[in-house]
Amino acid sequence: MILLQGCTETVDHRGKTPLVQVGDNFLYKEDVTLAIPPGVSKKDSADIADKFIRNWIDDMLLFVKAEGNIPDDAKIDELVKSYRMQLITHTYLEQIVSQEVEGNISDSEIEEFYNKNKNIFLASEPYVKGLFIKVPKTASGISKVKQWYKDKSEVSIDRLEKYGLRNAVDYEYFYDRWRPLNEILLRLPLKEGEKEKIFMQKDKNLEVSDSAFYYFLHMEEFLKEGEILPLEYAGKEVKEMIMNTKRVEFISKMKNDLYNEASENNDIKYFNSSNE
């Protein structure tokens, strides 16, 4: 670790502990500490700190060298001023838009926008509603499971859920919501090419097995790729679209209000550039 020697007492370090000085620039212990990920060993921590300090020194030495060899400081100052103005404005707008716009988008507004623009929200993959259960081959009552999982009646579902509590390794009921079919199929031991067949077939029931388990999938409803995406999956995109529209409208109105207010208060002064 490189330590600062003979630090000038007049420098206000604002409570921080200086480690290195290059020119008028200081690197502080607190900044180095933040660069070290939690949970690393002492040796790794020391290595990371040494590399961070060396990189900082290299950057500062290059900066000092460059600063002394740029003749047009005024141009740099203008660029810095312009960037600072843009950064402050952007930060303020993001803050105010988040407060005034994002928090004021209701679920009913999202649903209304979705219903009016359904055709632009299309599924990029198949979705299904149904039921999935994975049962050990050693479990009893497999023949009953093969009957129950195909039947949507409350009686069969109730029996299957009670059976699943005692015997199932994996069980999911999703008659009430859409699930990406790819995510469900990852839980089955399918061979290469079998997944594509499932996308094309009309059979609602799928039974596969391996050396230890039986896998049963019932697809009550099927949403193909390219069909209208359900609101539960399109909702986030809908909200972002509404927010972007409102953001533009809000910023435009804000600029217009500021202009009108400044004009009424004579805060805007125009100068005649002619020599008359």
Side-chain angles (χ1 to χ4, degrees):
M1 186 70 70
I2 304 172
L3 299 178
L4 178 67
Q5 299 293 331
C7 176
T8 306
E9 294 295 334
T10 57
V11 176
D12 181 9
H13 297 292
R14 299 182 180 180
K16 290 187 175 182
T17 307
L19 290 178
V20 190
Q21 179 180 0
V22 175
D24 296 329
N25 306 286
F26 290 88
L27 176 64
Y28 297 98
K29 177 182 177 181
E30 291 77 6
D31 298 324
V32 177
T33 301
L34 287 173
I36 301 173
V40 298
S41 66
K42 289 184 178 180
K43 183 181 182 304
D44 290 340
S45 177
D47 290 342
I48 293 170
D50 286 343
K51 289 178 182 178
F52 185 89
I53 292 169
R54 176 55 191 268
N55 288 336
W56 183 89
I57 292 172
D58 289 344
D59 289 342
M60 285 301 107
L61 289 173
L62 184 58
F63 169 70
V64 171
K65 179 71 173 177
E67 190 178 33
N69 287 273
I70 298 295
D72 192 0
D73 287 343
K75 185 176 180 180
I76 298 294
D77 291 341
E78 281 297 317
L79 290 172
V80 171
K81 181 180 178 181
S82 175
Y83 175 73
R84 183 175 186 274
M85 183 183 74
Q86 292 175 26
L87 183 61
I88 290 174
T89 302
H90 174 76
T91 302
Y92 172 72
L93 285 176
E94 288 301 310
Q95 178 182 326
I96 198 71
V97 166
S98 177
Q99 294 172 356
E100 300 294 332
V101 176
E102 186 174 357
N104 293 325
I105 300 176
S106 64
D107 292 341
S108 59
E109 191 173 4
I110 291 174
E111 186 174 357
E112 182 182 357
F113 184 93
Y114 169 79
N115 289 331
K116 289 181 179 179
N117 301 276
K118 280 185 177 181
N119 290 333
I120 66 175
F121 302 107
L122 305 179
S124 59
E125 61 177 317
Y127 289 80
V128 291
K129 286 184 178 182
L131 180 145
F132 170 75
I133 187 168
K134 175 182 176 181
V135 184
K137 282 189 170 181
T138 55
S140 60
I142 298 297
S143 59
K144 293 181 180 179
V145 173
K146 290 184 177 183
Q147 298 174 11
W148 294 335
Y149 93 95
K150 300 175 183 179
D151 185 5
K152 192 184 177 182
S153 69
E154 291 186 12
V155 174
S156 293
I157 295 298
D158 183 62
R159 288 173 176 171
L160 195 61
E161 286 184 349
K162 289 178 180 177
Y163 177 90
L165 289 173
R166 298 191 306 269
N167 301 285
V169 175
D170 189 5
Y171 175 79
E172 184 179 359
Y173 172 96
F174 50 98
Y175 278 103
D176 55 347
R177 63 190 184 279
W178 290 102
R179 295 280 280 110
L181 180 56
N182 281 307
E183 291 184 9
I184 301 296
L185 295 182
L186 286 174
R187 293 147 75 173
L188 283 76
L190 299 175
K191 297 178 182 178
E192 187 175 352
E194 288 182 330
K195 186 184 294 186
E196 286 70 22
K197 291 180 181 178
I198 294 171
F199 291 157
M200 298 175 64
Q201 70 183 17
K202 296 182 179 180
D203 190 0
K204 290 186 174 184
N205 302 307
L206 176 65
E207 298 179 18
V208 295
S209 64
D210 54 24
S211 59
F213 300 99
Y214 289 112
Y215 305 78
F216 304 98
L217 173 62
H218 174 72
M219 295 173 280
E220 181 66 23
E221 294 184 56
F222 192 90
L223 183 73
K224 296 180 181 178
E225 179 181 347
E227 293 184 336
I228 296 174
L229 196 65
L231 178 57
E232 63 189 270
Y233 283 94
K236 185 178 179 180
E237 186 180 353
V238 173
K239 185 175 181 179
E240 288 177 354
M241 293 179 71
I242 295 173
M243 190 170 68
N244 287 336
T245 301
K246 287 193 170 187
R247 185 180 190 276
V248 172
E249 294 173 351
F250 178 82
I251 292 174
S252 177
K253 182 179 183 303
M254 185 179 183
K255 287 181 177 180
N256 191 55
D257 290 345
L258 287 171
Y259 179 83
N260 291 335
E261 182 181 349
S263 297
E264 291 175 3
N265 296 333
N266 294 319
D267 291 333
I268 305 172
K269 295 179 175 61
Y270 297 94
F271 296 92
N272 191 345
S273 60
S274 67
N275 293 325
E276 297 180 2

